[in-house]
Amino acid sequence: MRCFIIIITLFTFYNSMIAQNEAFQTHVNILQLDELKNKIFESREPYKIVFIFNQFCSASRDVFPELDELYKKAHKENFELFVVTNTKEKNKEELEDHLFYYGYGEPFYILKDKPLLGFLKKTIQSICESCNANEMGYSSFMVFNENNEVLEQTNYNQTKEEIISTLKKYIQ
């Protein structure tokens, strides 16, 4: 009888874990940099927000929960969010675990063709030629309009509050 109860308990626990994983989707995509750029510029949303994220960067970890809160409350008809990370492809599951742990469900993009040196600067320059990549860091973002014109970019000199207030203009 005890074995039967233990088996039923384990089966119930297993089913609940599967249900939780099915309910939460992280949407981690692996793309070439050119594919990501095309995806951003093919979007017809009024605003396209590209956020540079690194799960080990304290600035990213500081800003991202508030970005996440804005994203979850937004209607998403007005903008499209692209969270770009330098996580290695082989660490995709680790990133998904990180996102699951914190409840983040935004669309993340891992780049296949990361440059060995200068990932951040080269990625920013590839996506946005007119952006000043020297002033940008992890937790920075670029905002494009539907015509793929840069409306704003943040930089590492801005406070978290300034970054969030800028994001609020586009994420509604």
Side-chain angles (χ1 to χ4, degrees):
M1 185 66 176
R2 284 184 184 168
C3 286
F4 181 71
I5 292 172
I6 291 171
I7 290 172
I8 295 296
T9 304
L10 289 174
F11 183 73
T12 305
F13 177 74
Y14 176 76
N15 283 338
S16 70
M17 291 300 292
I18 289 173
Q20 285 178 352
N21 285 337
E22 288 175 2
F24 182 80
Q25 296 294 319
T26 56
H27 309 291
V28 176
N29 303 285
I30 300 175
L31 297 172
Q32 297 287 348
L33 184 54
D34 287 342
E35 290 176 288
L36 175 64
K37 184 177 178 178
N38 290 339
K39 189 171 185 65
I40 293 167
F41 292 154
E42 288 171 0
S43 172
R44 291 289 139 222
E45 296 300 329
Y47 303 110
K48 296 169 268 195
I49 301 166
V50 181
F51 183 80
I52 309 297
F53 177 82
N54 181 323
Q55 74 192 69
F56 302 109
C57 171
S58 60
S60 285
R61 287 193 316 261
D62 194 33
V63 170
F64 201 77
E66 292 189 44
L67 170 63
D68 177 62
E69 187 177 326
L70 289 172
Y71 182 78
K72 286 178 180 172
K73 290 180 182 177
H75 297 289
K76 298 175 190 71
E77 296 100 30
N78 195 35
F79 71 95
E80 189 166 354
L81 179 65
F82 300 87
V83 183
V84 182
T85 181
N86 69 339
T87 299
K88 294 178 181 163
E89 286 180 67
K90 68 180 183 179
N91 296 342
K92 179 182 177 192
E93 287 184 29
E94 183 181 307
L95 176 63
E96 288 174 332
D97 290 345
H98 174 81
L99 300 175
F100 178 79
Y101 179 78
Y102 288 101
Y104 299 147
E106 293 78 3
F108 273 74
Y109 296 91
I110 294 174
L111 298 178
K112 282 184 182 180
D113 54 346
K114 289 184 270 307
L116 293 175
L117 298 172
F119 163 81
L120 187 65
K121 185 175 182 178
K122 290 177 182 175
T123 300
I124 292 167
Q125 288 174 332
S126 176
I127 295 171
C128 177
E129 294 172 8
S130 65
C131 289
N132 186 349
N134 292 328
E135 293 183 359
M136 297 178 75
Y138 292 110
S139 79
S140 293
F141 66 88
M142 302 159 268
V143 178
F144 298 91
N145 66 14
E146 65 265 0
N147 298 321
N148 299 319
E149 300 164 333
V150 179
L151 299 176
E152 286 197 55
Q153 77 171 74
T154 61
N155 62 62
Y156 56 76
N157 291 320
Q158 292 176 296
T159 65
K160 178 175 96 171
E161 291 74 23
E162 290 172 321
I163 291 171
I164 297 301
S165 71
T166 301
L167 280 171
K168 285 180 181 179
K169 292 190 287 188
Y170 304 103
I171 300 178
Q172 301 173 17

